Amino acid sequence: PDQYLALVLQATEGCHWNHCTFCHFYRKASFRIKSESEFEKHLQAAKDFFGAAIRLRQSIFLGDANALVLPQSKLLKVMDRINETFPMSALHSGNRESPGFRGIYSFLDVFTGDKKTEKDFGQLRERNLRRVYVGVETGCAELLRFLNKPATAKQTLEVCLAVKGAGLS
């Protein structure tokens, strides 16, 4: 809800886990990471599609589900290309005459992909990542099993501490 006017850019398609009991968003889509050339074409297509109206967008949301699951080296390249293609404003003043996005936002679960450290999240913050949405749902082990989430409360705490330690929301 707080990303209502976001430009959604897809570095991945589908969900890396795609087995949560409650979620059916990506059941028919296999998870895949876009190649560098595919992502480059995607960035240009988004820019061309929106044209001057892109100034109405306030932030960038990196998707699909769980896009931060990308290996760090690939994710840094994705973030660099986003920043080269779409200017970020140092202070988002709401002045849409001077285009600039207020930052990049994305989802991350706590149990798939390479585990990111505080240093990793710091590198992403330096590339304008501002907030990480973490699919916590619950800290109750029994309920996590019921939801088919192979996470633990301890893993969730570790990820959240690394995100906060890097200065991210």
Side-chain angles (χ1 to χ4, degrees):
D2 66 336
Q3 292 301 308
Y4 177 70
L5 290 173
L7 172 65
V8 178
L9 299 174
Q10 291 180 281
T12 63
E13 292 180 4
C15 175
H16 189 267
W17 175 242
N18 207 13
H19 296 294
C20 297
T21 304
F22 58 88
C23 180
H24 298 281
F25 287 129
Y26 305 102
R27 289 288 192 245
K28 295 180 182 176
S30 297
F31 179 79
R32 72 181 199 87
I33 298 169
K34 289 187 177 178
S35 68
E36 284 184 46
S37 64
E38 273 184 295
F39 189 66
E40 185 66 37
K41 289 175 187 172
H42 175 64
L43 292 176
Q44 191 57 52
K47 195 172 184 178
D48 292 345
F49 177 80
F50 282 97
I54 205 160
R55 291 191 313 255
L56 299 172
R57 302 294 162 179
Q58 296 180 2
S59 60
I60 291 176
F61 190 86
L62 184 61
D64 247 356
N66 209 12
L68 295 180
V69 75
L70 287 170
Q72 186 72 359
S73 61
K74 179 136 182 107
L75 187 53
L76 293 176
K77 288 178 185 177
V78 163
M79 298 293 277
D80 287 342
R81 283 304 298 133
I82 291 171
N83 282 286
E84 290 166 11
T85 306
F86 300 102
M88 301 289 159
S89 59
L91 293 171
H92 184 71
S93 65
N95 177 2
R96 300 316 292 160
E97 295 303 314
S98 174
F101 292 92
R102 64 182 168 141
I104 302 169
Y105 302 74
S106 192
F107 281 116
L108 177 67
D109 68 33
V110 298
F111 51 86
T112 55
D114 296 335
K115 303 301 180 231
K116 302 224 177 323
T117 64
E118 184 176 319
K119 179 183 173 191
D120 294 333
F121 285 117
Q123 292 174 325
L124 297 172
R125 183 184 44 75
E126 290 168 1
R127 288 164 173 83
N128 294 304
L129 183 66
R130 296 292 171 250
R131 180 175 297 141
V132 177
Y133 298 89
V134 181
V136 175
E137 280 76 47
T138 182
C140 172
E142 185 178 331
L143 189 50
L144 284 169
R145 279 190 301 279
F146 173 76
L147 296 174
N148 202 20
K149 290 202 151 253
T152 65
K154 182 180 179 199
Q155 286 174 304
T156 301
L157 180 60
E158 289 169 356
V159 169
C160 290
L161 288 173
V163 165
K164 291 301 227 175
L168 294 167
S169 173

